[in-house]
Amino acid sequence: MAEGLGDRVVRAVEGLTPGYFALVMATGILSVGMHLERFDILSAGLVGVCCSGFVVLVALTGWRLVAYRSAVIEDFTDPRRGFGFFTFVAGTNVLGVRLGLAGLHEATAVLLVLAGVAWLALGYVVPWTAVLGRQERPVLATANGTWFIWVVASQSVAVAAATIEPVFDPVRRELAVLAIMSWSVGVFLYGAAGILVSLRLMLYEFGPEDLTPPYWVSMGALAITVLAGARIVEMADAPMVAATRDLIAGLAVVFWAFATWLIPVLVAAGWWRHVRRRVPLRYEATLWSIIFPLGMYAVAGIYLGRADHLPVVETVGSAGLWVAFAACVLVFVAMVVHLFRTVVAPGCLESSTTKPVVRG
């Protein structure tokens, strides 16, 4: 019996990757960048996609949690996928920051509370269930680029807190503490993730099939650290801000330089994977883990250039924004085609035996 549309949707929901909120992260940060560059129509279109994606993914994730709890638990206990849950935190905060730019500061605050609670919960649950609580050893052999998403989630809390800090006077000091604390946690987490992932690359067999798109998050995590630092530098004076402003401003420049250095490395790695080793380039959900770092690097450069009066950095960010936008359009079209062929009309696939999955 042929599988119906409802059955294909159910199968797709069961296989939904926890990292799909990278779609929200990518479109949201590009909307922020277009807003900063005064391309209001493009920014509005991107925030529309961002909001729609957020609502749909929250609904699908809730459905999956209720109907396919075992699949969710399997993701939580898999160090290769567990850290993907942090994309919910980052996506929620990126959406909140964009709404804050539109003057909807209350919405930003609500989303920050939601993301902050998720950040704290996942920050203790995921490392335990996916890494420390596993009996199999060595866990280090499973380290990959998704581990940097924990850093991105931490820094997204800092960005959102810094965004609404000037607006909510009664809790200004508390928001300053939250921003600097989460920024600091993110910096240390980046160091830890960087060491663990580097050891995995050096100590265990590593082929082109292992060089997945989330390795770009290593650069995106640096970029959002730069953005968070630039936003903290712009915050109103508070004891915590005054004590750390110069330090954070200097480190933001250092992190931007390292993020810039990483881009040619990541491009070369992609060339080696797809051109030299001929791994097919197909749509997968993790491709959004490339778009977000590109967009975040662009926005971070724009913000850092304006905050620290570095016109060269701002120019690089402005140019990078269009690279990220072009890549976003390509991946979005590929996603629509992929969903059409695997869920809506699987008969369009070359092989009738291909099962529709969204995990990618």
Side-chain angles (χ1 to χ4, degrees), residues 103-115:
L104 302 174
H105 300 108
E106 292 77 10
T108 306
V110 170
L111 292 174
L112 173 59
V113 171
L114 175 63

Side-chain angles (χ1 to χ4, degrees), residues 185-207:
V185 169
V187 170
F188 281 99
L189 289 177
Y190 188 90
I195 291 171
L196 293 173
V197 172
S198 297
L199 287 174
R200 184 263 183 271
L201 295 177
M202 292 186 291
L203 297 178
Y204 297 93
E205 185 177 354
F206 188 82

Side-chain angles (χ1 to χ4, degrees), residues 162 165-166 172 176 231-239 241-242 245:
E165 182 264 350
R172 175 169 288 179
R231 294 307 304 263
I232 291 171
V233 169
E234 293 178 333
M235 289 169 63
D237 280 334
V241 177
R245 177 177 278 124

Side-chain angles (χ1 to χ4, degrees), residues 136-152:
E136 299 85 354
R137 289 294 185 269
V139 180
L140 182 62
T142 63
N144 58 44
T146 64
W147 290 28
F148 289 102
I149 301 175
W150 192 4
V151 181
V152 175

Side-chain angles (χ1 to χ4, degrees), residues 53-142:
F54 181 79
V55 171
V56 170
L57 287 171
V58 166
L60 293 178
T61 301
W63 178 5
R64 185 173 187 247
L65 180 61
V66 172
Y68 306 104
R69 189 169 301 176
S70 60
V72 177
I73 293 174
E74 183 181 349
D75 285 338
F76 265 112
T77 57
D78 188 341
R80 297 175 180 85
R81 300 195 303 268
F83 287 89
F85 285 102
F86 283 106
T87 60
F88 169 75
V89 177
T92 301
N93 278 323
V94 169
L95 175 58
V97 169
R98 178 60 185 89
L99 295 178
L101 292 177
L104 302 174
H105 300 108
E106 292 77 10
T108 306
V110 170
L111 292 174
L112 173 59
V113 171
L114 175 63
V117 171
W119 172 58
L120 287 174
L122 293 173
Y124 292 107
V125 172
V126 170
W128 176 258
T129 59
V131 181
L132 299 178
R134 291 177 61 86
Q135 297 298 319
E136 299 85 354
R137 289 294 185 269
V139 180
L140 182 62
T142 63

